Amino acid sequence: MADLGVWKYKRNIEKLDVMSDKNTMRVALRTGILQFRIPLLASFLDVFCYQYSMVDRLNREAWRKVWEEWGKIYNNHRPPTPASMDYLIFRLGKIACRPNKRFCLPEKEVAEKKLESLIPQDRLIFRADKYCIFSDVCELERKILNAPNSISIEGRTGWKSGKSNEGGGGGISS
């Protein structure tokens, strides 16, 4: 809303963070800017959402650090706030860094027809060679990682959705 001029901020705009959601968390995990020593638990094992709250906080901090490092680059084109990166990261998670896949797209260049079907902002997800902008930083063992779920609505992200692949996060295999 700030980028669109709906919200008029005169100060502290740089305090707005990237919002944590399953897409921004998944991209952070798969690119390696957010790493854990142990696998993330299934949502129904995290009854009080402590794990989810921790990952949410660390995700926001990780994207803020990316934004701060971006500002150190000479002649950078950094957006005015970390939250300004949110749409790109969210769409990257929806289009190229898909949940519950054992790989991030594209492992090969994206098809021209697919690229043409995207709105101009979504085309920024792919480099000129038609590969994902993060394809060089995503290591093979991280390409399956998924964000944790928080227990919320029964049957959506809570007790009844306990399934996942070895990427974890979304649940647990039975």
Side-chain angles (χ1 to χ4, degrees):
M1 291 295 162
D3 291 337
L4 297 172
V6 174
W7 295 336
K8 308 282 188 207
Y9 286 94
K10 299 200 185 309
R11 62 180 199 264
N12 294 329
I13 190 169
E14 71 283 350
K15 304 242 186 250
L16 296 174
D17 284 325
V18 167
M19 290 299 297
S20 289
D21 61 32
K22 62 185 176 183
N23 294 300
T24 62
M25 288 181 190
R26 184 173 54 255
V27 173
L29 288 165
R30 290 181 179 186
T31 58
I33 66 166
L34 190 56
Q35 296 182 28
F36 296 97
R37 289 180 302 169
I38 60 172
L40 298 173
L41 298 172
S43 60
F44 59 86
L45 295 176
D46 187 20
V47 176
F48 300 106
C49 297
Y50 293 131
Q51 174 186 252
Y52 185 86
S53 297
M54 178 194 66
V55 175
D56 168 51
R57 179 180 51 82
L58 293 173
N59 182 62
R60 287 181 281 119
E61 291 173 6
W63 286 115
R64 173 166 294 283
K65 184 70 173 167
V66 167
W67 181 79
E68 290 168 355
E69 292 298 316
W70 190 350
K72 295 177 184 176
I73 299 171
Y74 174 74
N75 201 19
N76 69 65
H77 297 286
R78 181 181 75 174
T81 173
S84 300
M85 302 183 308
D86 184 72
Y87 180 80
L88 176 65
I89 300 165
F90 170 78
R91 294 300 292 168
L92 178 69
K94 294 289 278 184
I95 295 171
C97 196
R98 304 290 306 268
N100 295 317
K101 299 288 182 192
R102 297 180 194 282
F103 58 90
C104 289
L105 297 172
E107 287 292 310
K108 57 183 182 177
E109 62 183 48
V110 68
E112 189 66 34
K113 187 173 183 177
K114 171 70 175 171
L115 197 58
E116 289 172 1
S117 72
L118 298 173
I119 61 173
Q121 294 93 323
D122 288 349
R123 291 182 194 150
L124 295 173
I125 293 167
F126 302 102
R127 301 183 308 221
D129 65 359
K130 299 181 184 170
Y131 284 84
C132 171
I133 58 174
F134 288 142
S135 63
D136 293 336
V137 296
C138 289
E139 294 178 8
L140 186 60
E141 65 272 6
R142 290 194 311 258
K143 288 186 179 189
I144 59 170
L145 296 177
N146 293 311
N149 286 329
S150 177
I151 295 174
S152 59
I153 301 169
E154 184 180 351
R156 295 232 182 106
T157 60
W159 297 98
K160 293 186 178 179
S161 63
K163 54 184 181 257
S164 179
N165 62 22
E166 66 270 23
I172 191 167
S173 297
S174 52

